[in-house]
Amino acid sequence: RLLMYLRLLAMYASAFVPVAISLDRQAAILRPLAITRARRRNRLMLHAAWLLSAGLSVPQLFLFRTVTLRPPHNFTQCTTRGSFAQPWHETLYNMLGFSCLFLLPLLIMVCSYTRILLEISRRMGSGLFFSRDVSLRCSRNNIPRARLRMLKMSLVIVSSFILCWTPYYLLGLWHWFCPRAMERSVSPALAHILFIFGLLNACLDPITYGLFTIPFRRRWGCPCGHDPEPQPPSTVTGSFRCSASSL
């Protein structure tokens, strides 16, 4: 029971923590003046993500039980067999988990990064970044570059989430609605492999944020041996870095 609880906890955490990061990015762009409260806001969102993960995983402690099969099988397995009064109860429980683990986080991340891109495009179109007050702090080339970097990062984050988790949940949907056909066609080892592949998304996210946020060239210098000319952070890229460091 404890292992099944921790397994679902890991799945919820790997889905909710990227959601918290996307909400932090959205707040950094839509409300850049509130960046001083970012550390407290990020701490609350991370606590909420872990508390929700722990709370939504609690049913695992009561649904799973050990079932022993007598001869000729002679083995004991931790399963949900006998925990649901009707088969559709188990299907409903699995569909609720699928919605909270995959559909809802994906929807929030897509909405957050879409709002970020729309806000950057709106500011560029309104000429806000090219006013006299801001021209001393950022160059004209920084904003299109930041928008392109933000677009690439958004596509990579959402695509990696979909790519890593979709095979596992497609297999799960097949098992929930046609269990016998799935068990005859798919080996249990493949299900475990797809589950581990889904958790790989949690390992890819820090790499993605680092590649698109940390200024590697300015830290390491140019390959030719000349240090690049320092550029002051713009209102877009600067808030990104401050937001990432606080998170």
Side-chain angles (χ1 to χ4, degrees), residues 171-187:
L171 187 65
L173 290 172
W174 188 11
H175 179 264
W176 298 333
F177 292 99
C178 303
R180 294 183 179 178
M182 195 280 291
E183 291 174 0
R184 288 195 302 264
S185 304
V186 179
S187 65

Side-chain angles (χ1 to χ4, degrees), residues 47-152:
H47 288 168
W50 281 101
L51 288 176
L52 281 174
S53 302
L56 292 174
S57 304
V58 168
Q60 298 287 95
L61 296 174
F62 303 96
L63 294 175
F64 278 88
R65 63 186 67 185
T66 56
V67 176
T68 302
L69 296 181
R70 300 305 177 185
H73 302 286
N74 286 329
F75 76 95
T76 302
Q77 183 178 4
C78 185
T79 179
T80 58
R81 185 176 180 179
S83 299
F84 297 95
Q86 297 292 335
W88 67 269
H89 291 170
E90 184 174 8
T91 303
L92 178 61
Y93 174 74
N94 291 328
M95 291 303 298
L96 289 176
F98 169 67
S99 301
C100 295
L101 285 168
F102 185 74
L103 296 181
L104 184 61
L106 180 61
L107 178 63
I108 295 176
M109 284 190 290
V110 169
C111 292
S112 298
Y113 290 116
T114 300
R115 292 188 65 186
I116 290 174
L117 293 173
L118 291 177
E119 179 66 15
I120 295 177
S121 300
R122 184 189 65 81
R123 293 182 186 180
M124 289 181 60
S126 63
L128 176 63
F129 287 118
F130 305 131
S131 62
R132 275 187 171 184
D133 297 334
V134 187
S135 61
L136 294 177
R137 293 187 289 111
C138 64
S139 65
R140 293 175 178 265
N141 296 328
N142 282 345
I143 305 306
R145 193 182 304 118
R147 183 176 65 169
L148 180 60
R149 184 168 63 249
M150 189 66 216
L151 176 60
K152 291 180 179 179

Side-chain angles (χ1 to χ4, degrees), residues 15-25 42 45-46 49 247:
F16 289 166
V17 171
V19 168
I21 297 176
S22 66
L23 293 176
D24 168 64
R25 296 268 166 162
N42 295 338
M45 286 194 299
L46 286 175
L247 184 62

